[in-house]
Every structure is written in structure tokens, then in C-alpha cells.
């Protein structure tokens, strides 16, 4: 029998899906083969999140810096994205997943841009899980585009206004940020939104990240005291794990 799921469960989990290339390298396979396995890991993770009552999952699929990788790998990733959309969207739609692709789209091909828009439209009415796929995304880009948006509209650039102009303004900030692959950095991911997120670093390469690894991350999250600038004594008695963001 599976162990009980730790509580409290985070409302929003964000993941840096790292280690696909190293997974492939250990098996003397091309890096794209690791990315293909990573798609399967993401599919399993989506199902696991829904089973555990997580409402929002945000994943880092392709950073704005990844264009600097070998052309063959970048081309393979773009083709994999197109194939994955065709294969996975019907299942995501049937299972109540609402897709959002977050990032700069101008650099993407017409084929990819159309595919992203169609996937978002096809799943737009779903509400069981919001899946944000950060593609051609960077945290610094997000802050800059939000500031440009406010400046263009003549609004004052305040903290609240910036927050509402961010590319992930449609969801609350992540409670838990996970990075796989053993690296301990956030690599320009959700720089604004992760201000008060709990961080968890897993040694598992992304293709090997499974339900047990997710439960381990949730257990670590559940064990932590979230104070948002307050002291332990200010938290409500009997509720050591505050999930309400302080003003």
C-alpha cells in the first residue's frame, strides 16, 4: 500500500525539470532522447499532482538561454514540442487540465506558435489542474516585459502593478519550487514569483522523477514553517504552516 500523502499539500508546485541530457549521456544516447523521456516524466507528474490535490503545476521546459545550446538539440526540442502537443493535448483536455504556455513567442516558428495557441484554446474551460509550461521563458524577461507593459499604458510601476502584469498573474505564487538533477540554483526561473517559495533540490534526474520523489518534496514542504516575514509566535495557534501571503 502506498504511504499516506503528507499534509499540507502545496496549492502551487513549480519544477525546474533538469537532467534530461545527463540521463541520456549515461546511456550513450543523444540528448534529445533524454528530452523524450522527460515528456513521459512530466505526464506522470501531472497525474500525480492531480491525485494529490495540487491545483497548479508550473514547469520550466525551455529557458531563453537554451537557444545557446547546440542547434541540433534546439531543433529536436522544437520538434518534440510539436509532437508532444499533438499526442498529449487530447488526454490533458479529457482529464481537466488547463494549459498555459508562458514565455516570449516571437522567436518561435509559426507552426509552434499556432500549436501553442490551439492547445490553450482546447483546454481553456478545464479547471481540475492549471499546467503552466514555461517555454522560451526567463525570470528577468518576465519582470522586464511587465515593466514595459506598465510604462506603455502610463501606469505607475508599483509592486502590486508589476505583480498583476507578470506572465503568471493568472495563478498565485508557487508554494514549493523543486529542482531536479542535483543542481542547487533556480537558473532565472520565477525570480519574482518565488520570493517566498519553499525550495527543494532533488538529486534525481528529471526522467527518473516519480511519485515517490514528488511525495518526498511534499513531505519536506509540509515540515517547514512558512512565516512570510512574521515570527513563529505570530502564526495562528495550531497552524504552524501558514499559507497566506503577508502583505
Amino acid at each position: 500500500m502506498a504511504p499516506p500523502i503528507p499534509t499540507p499539500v502545496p496549492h502551487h508546485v513549480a519544477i525546474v525539470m533538469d537532467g534530461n541530457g545527463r540521463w541520456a549521456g549515461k546511456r550513450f544516447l543523444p540528448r534529445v532522447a533524454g528530452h523524450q523521456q522527460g515528456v513521459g516524466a512530466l505526464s506522470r507528474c501531472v497525474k500525480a499532482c492531480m491525485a494529490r490535490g495540487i491545483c497548479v503545476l508550473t514547469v520550466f521546459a525551455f529557458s531563453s538561454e537554451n537557444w545557446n545550446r547546440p542547434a541540433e538539440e534546439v531543433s529536436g526540442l522544437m520538434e518534440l514540442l510539436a509532437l508532444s502537443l499533438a499526442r498529449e493535448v487530447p488526454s490533458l483536455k479529457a482529464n481537466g487540465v488547463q494549459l498555459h504556455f508562458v514565455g516570449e513567442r516571437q522567436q518561435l516558428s509559426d507552426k509552434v506558435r499556432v500549436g501553442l495557441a490551439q492547445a490553450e484554446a482546447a483546454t481553456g474551460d478545464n479547471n481540475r489542474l492549471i499546467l503552466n509550461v514555461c517555454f522560451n521563458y526567463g525570470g528577468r524577461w518576465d519582470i522586464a516585459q511587465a515593466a514595459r507593459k506598465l510604462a506603455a499604458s502610463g501606469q505607475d510601476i508599483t509592486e502590486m502593478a508589476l505583480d498583476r502584469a507578470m506572465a503568471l498573474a493568472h495563478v498565485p505564487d508557487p508554494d514549493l519550487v523543486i529542482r531536479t538533477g542535483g543542481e542547487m540554483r533556480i537558473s532565472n526561473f520565477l525570480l519574482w514569483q518565488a520570493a517566498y517559495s519553499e525550495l527543494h533540490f532533488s538529486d534525481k534526474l528529471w526522467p527518473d522523477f516519480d511519485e515517490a520523489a514528488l511525495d518526498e518534496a511534499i513531505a519536506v514542504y509540509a515540515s517547514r514553517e512558512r512565516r512570510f516575514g512574521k515570527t513563529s509566535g505570530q502564526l495562528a495557534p495550531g497552524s504552524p504552516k501558514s499559507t497566506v501571503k503577508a502583505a
Side-chain angles (χ1 to χ4, degrees), residues 25-233:
K26 287 183 176 182
R27 292 160 176 80
F28 304 101
L29 297 170
R31 290 178 62 87
V32 171
H35 295 307
Q36 291 170 339
Q37 291 295 317
V39 172
L42 176 56
S43 180
R44 293 193 303 272
C45 188
V46 167
K47 293 174 183 176
C49 285
M50 288 192 289
R52 286 151 180 77
I54 292 166
C55 298
V56 184
L57 174 63
T58 299
V59 296
F60 205 4
F62 187 85
S63 79
S64 48
E65 289 80 22
N66 285 157
W67 292 103
N68 296 319
R69 292 189 174 188
E72 181 180 356
E73 182 177 355
V74 172
S75 176
L77 279 166
M78 294 300 162
E79 186 64 26
L80 179 60
L81 174 63
L83 291 172
S84 297
L85 286 172
R87 184 175 64 246
E88 299 292 338
V89 167
S91 175
L92 294 172
K93 180 180 179 181
N95 285 296
V97 177
Q98 183 183 120
L99 264 172
H100 292 263
F101 291 92
V102 182
E104 176 58 65
R105 300 193 188 186
Q106 290 184 353
Q107 287 178 276
L108 306 179
S109 69
D110 291 343
K111 177 183 177 181
V112 169
R113 286 200 300 269
V114 169
L116 301 187
Q118 289 177 339
E120 289 176 331
T123 62
D125 293 332
N126 290 343
N127 56 22
R128 187 178 176 192
L129 175 77
I130 295 176
L131 173 59
N132 300 306
V133 180
C134 293
F135 198 86
N136 197 26
Y137 170 90
R140 291 177 175 177
W141 163 85
D142 196 4
I143 296 169
Q145 68 82 28
R148 285 195 301 270
K149 190 184 300 182
L150 295 180
S153 65
Q155 297 182 61
D156 288 339
I157 300 178
T158 65
E159 185 174 328
M160 182 174 292
L162 270 175
D163 191 65
R164 291 173 176 170
M166 290 288 165
L168 280 160
H170 59 283
V171 293
D173 291 346
D175 303 292
L176 172 64
V177 175
I178 302 168
R179 181 176 182 139
T180 64
E183 303 289 357
M184 295 188 180
R185 56 181 178 270
I186 57 175
S187 296
N188 199 20
F189 183 50
L190 304 184
L191 296 182
W192 179 274
Q193 296 86 351
Y196 281 98
S197 301
E198 297 298 321
L199 306 180
H200 175 73
F201 299 97
S202 171
D203 288 331
K204 282 186 176 289
L205 302 177
W206 176 245
D208 296 326
F209 192 82
D210 55 13
E211 292 84 351
L214 178 62
D215 286 340
E216 178 185 353
I218 294 173
V220 170
Y221 167 83
S223 72
R224 294 182 182 170
E225 182 179 75
R226 306 190 71 204
R227 298 190 297 273
F228 300 105
K230 296 181 179 180
T231 67
S232 296

Side-chain angles (χ1 to χ4, degrees), residues 231-242:
T231 67
S232 296
Q234 289 177 293
L235 301 181
S239 301
K241 311 298 188 299
S242 174

